[in-house]
Amino acid sequence: MVSIYQTKKKSNLPQHGAVTIQRWDHEAQGISTHQGNICFVDGALPGEQVQVRFTEQKKDYSRAVVQKVLQPSALRIKALCPSAALCGGCQLQYLAPESALALKQDAVAALLQHQLKLSDLPWQPALSADAAGYRRKARIGVWFDKTTQQFQVGFRRAGSKEILDVPGCMVLSPAIARVLPVLRQTLPTLKHGSAVTHAEVLDADGQAFVVIRHVRPLPDSDKALLIAAWPDAFWLGEAESNQFEAWQADTPVPQYQLDAGQVLQFEPTDFIQVNSRINQAMVTQALAWLMPEKSDQVLDLYCGIGNFSLALSPLVAAVTGIEGITTMVQRARENATLNGYGNCTFAQADLHLPWKGHSWNKPVYQKVLLDPARAGAAGAVDELVKLKPAQILYVSCNPVTFARDARVLLANRYRISKIGVMDMFPYTSHLELMALFEQY
């Protein structure tokens, strides 16, 4: 075969331009019209005129980033965090959390109205809480520069894999905020500090846990220096993925408690909602919307360690929780036992595959709750409608996959009776949803 060299066509993409932002999309990107096509602009607010640098040009749309705000929105504020312009953690520091929530909800509402062909959705009040100090779990990046012999401790730069050195973080909970200065001050004193690649920090109801990921063994002297730098925290090493070594003899299992008293234990690798205040508000709202009765049998899909299952257990006849990750199924069982709940059963299954053959796949559930990952519940909703539960409560962290799955439910004689947003991640573009579907 003969290969004939052809020169690449020059891109017609202009380097810079001025655009006016009409609205936001569901990812908190400004939307403008440029040369007859849609332009998505990062860092711009509705109503603003901005100078942009174009980054991508397709047939029907382009992408750009703000270089200069020419006419700012009245909503634009000065960022509270000194690292906001460079850090990839909080994309919306130029906007007050309450303003961001309103804009995000409007954008999600527009998306759902378009995707579901529903002109009037039964919106309920949004769930929000204090935007500062909300994160109870975070990954802290560590990079040792061999040239300068300096450590970078912080988070990834916006749009990059590089670690940005940050002095502090306003969204970390007070219980774990010390992790940044402690690591920055202590790592240079370690014998094998360059072996540390990152730290996972956890706030377990006020108790700090720090998991140090290291690619070479750390001597006991290094472990002792880290413990001495923050003796109130419990320290663990992770030399191999998911293999944890407690460095202190009295290290307990991390746990958190719901308002109704249920205690949930978890391992550092387990998924938990990072915003404890919104998590509790979410659980409370789920119970209020479902109105569980003592005779109900409830199916909890993507149940994790039992966050919803345990809250439901004392209010209903039985809860069946299904989860894809075997270790989390075991944790859910242990949490049910820890709380003395004998009416909870848990099983492992890939919910996206056909459910035929599973013992729990029976039309006995009056109510179903599902809380899938960002990929949504493709396949699972098709199986779920066969069980014909009276109510389905869908908790979503991705409005696009929620809309896709909602279309399946709406096509199978369900209607949305309540829907609301949850600001789980203030200062970011993310917005979570809860919707109650009822059979008609």
Side-chain angles (χ1 to χ4, degrees):
M1 179 181 291
V2 178
S3 296
I4 300 174
Y5 174 77
Q6 291 181 328
T7 57
K8 292 182 179 179
K9 293 181 180 179
K10 286 188 176 181
S11 171
N12 293 324
L13 181 68
Q15 289 187 332
H16 306 282
V19 299
T20 300
I21 308 301
Q22 282 89 42
R23 57 187 177 86
W24 256 9
D25 72 357
H26 66 281
E27 295 181 323
Q29 296 179 107
I31 295 181
S32 179
T33 302
H34 181 73
Q35 296 182 350
N37 291 334
I38 290 177
C39 180
F40 298 96
V41 182
D42 282 334
L45 290 174
E48 290 187 329
Q49 186 178 30
V50 291
Q51 185 76 23
V52 301
R53 176 175 59 84
F54 291 95
T55 59
E56 184 180 2
Q57 180 72 62
K58 298 293 185 181
K59 180 180 178 181
D60 298 322
Y61 70 90
S62 60
R63 296 189 183 278
V65 295
V66 172
Q67 284 198 310
K68 184 179 181 180
V69 179
L70 304 175
Q71 293 182 4
S73 164
L75 297 178
R76 185 174 285 273
I77 63 171
K78 182 179 179 181
L80 298 175
C81 174
S83 304
L86 300 175
C87 181
C90 296
Q91 305 97 0
L92 303 181
Q93 280 270 337
Y94 53 86
L95 192 59
E98 58 273 17
S99 300
L101 175 56
L103 288 174
K104 288 192 289 186
Q105 178 166 357
D106 286 346
V108 168
L111 171 75
L112 296 182
Q113 182 175 330
H114 174 71
Q115 293 288 329
L116 303 180
K117 310 304 180 187
L118 295 175
S119 58
D120 187 24
L121 286 167
W123 288 104
Q124 307 299 304
L127 298 183
S128 63
D130 191 348
Y134 75 84
R135 284 200 74 105
R136 63 175 169 182
K137 187 175 184 180
R139 181 187 177 105
I140 310 299
V142 176
W143 173 256
F144 178 68
D145 190 321
K146 294 180 180 179
T147 303
T148 64
Q149 296 291 295
Q150 299 291 317
F151 284 92
Q152 305 283 339
V153 179
F155 305 103
R156 287 185 177 179
R157 290 177 177 269
S160 171
K161 293 184 178 181
E162 293 182 3
I163 301 300
L164 175 70
D165 196 66
V166 297
C169 178
M170 63 178 287
V171 301
L172 293 183
S173 79
I176 58 176
R178 281 189 62 191
V179 66
L180 289 163
V182 164
L183 290 177
R184 182 174 295 102
Q185 294 163 15
T186 311
L187 285 173
T189 70
L190 303 185
K191 187 175 182 180
H192 290 167
S194 61
V196 177
T197 59
H198 68 261
E200 191 85 20
V201 60
L202 310 168
D203 173 0
D205 277 0
Q207 174 60 60
F209 288 77
V210 186
V211 181
I212 296 295
R213 178 76 171 97
H214 50 97
V215 294
R216 297 191 307 277
L218 296 180
D220 290 342
S221 58
D222 281 357
K223 299 173 186 177
L225 284 171
L226 287 165
I227 294 170
W230 193 3
D232 293 334
F234 287 107
W235 293 79
L236 300 93
E238 187 187 10
E240 297 182 24
S241 181
N242 298 336
Q243 300 295 316
F244 303 102
E245 175 201 5
W247 291 354
Q248 294 127 298
D250 58 343
T251 301
V253 178
Q255 65 181 41
Y256 68 88
Q257 183 172 319
L258 297 175
D259 284 354
Q262 294 91 348
V263 174
L264 289 96
Q265 294 186 339
F266 61 96
E267 292 295 330
T269 51
D270 290 340
F271 171 81
I272 63 169
Q273 298 288 359
V274 301
N275 191 323
S276 61
R277 303 164 205 162
I278 297 298
N279 180 62
Q280 180 56 60
M282 178 178 68
V283 170
T284 299
Q285 180 170 277
L287 298 180
W289 288 11
L290 278 174
M291 294 189 293
E293 299 177 1
K294 275 295 184 181
S295 59
D296 284 338
Q297 293 195 56
V298 181
L299 182 62
D300 182 8
L301 304 177
Y302 310 93
C303 67
I305 63 172
N307 190 53
F308 287 109
S309 296
L310 269 64
L312 284 161
S313 179
L315 306 174
V316 299
V319 179
T320 301
I322 312 299
E323 167 59 44
I325 302 174
T326 303
T327 54
M328 294 182 74
V329 173
Q330 182 58 33
R331 209 92 64 229
R333 289 172 178 158
E334 293 168 354
N335 282 328
T337 301
L338 177 66
N339 288 274
Y341 294 156
N343 65 340
C344 287
T345 57
F346 297 94
Q348 188 278 333
D350 185 339
L351 290 165
H352 306 283
L353 300 178
W355 294 359
K356 185 178 180 180
H358 289 292
S359 60
W360 48 267
N361 181 31
K362 301 174 182 178
V364 297
Y365 309 104
Q366 292 75 39
K367 295 166 184 179
V368 174
L369 187 150
L370 65 157
D371 184 9
R374 288 190 62 79
V381 286
D382 298 282
E383 296 291 317
L384 175 56
V385 295
K386 298 175 185 177
L387 302 183
K388 299 181 179 180
Q391 293 178 310
I392 299 172
L393 188 79
Y394 193 134
V395 179
S396 169
C397 57
N398 184 343
V400 173
T401 55
F402 168 81
R404 179 201 64 204
D405 297 338
R407 286 197 294 270
V408 176
L409 299 178
L410 295 172
N412 283 273
R413 298 189 62 79
Y414 285 91
R415 64 180 179 86
I416 299 176
S417 59
K418 291 181 180 179
I419 186 169
V421 298
M422 303 172 290
D423 202 13
M424 189 72 73
F425 299 92
Y427 293 118
T428 78
S429 59
H430 297 287
L431 193 63
E432 313 231 339
L433 282 168
M434 180 184 292
L436 181 64
F437 293 82
E438 294 186 321
Q439 205 174 35
Y440 65 89

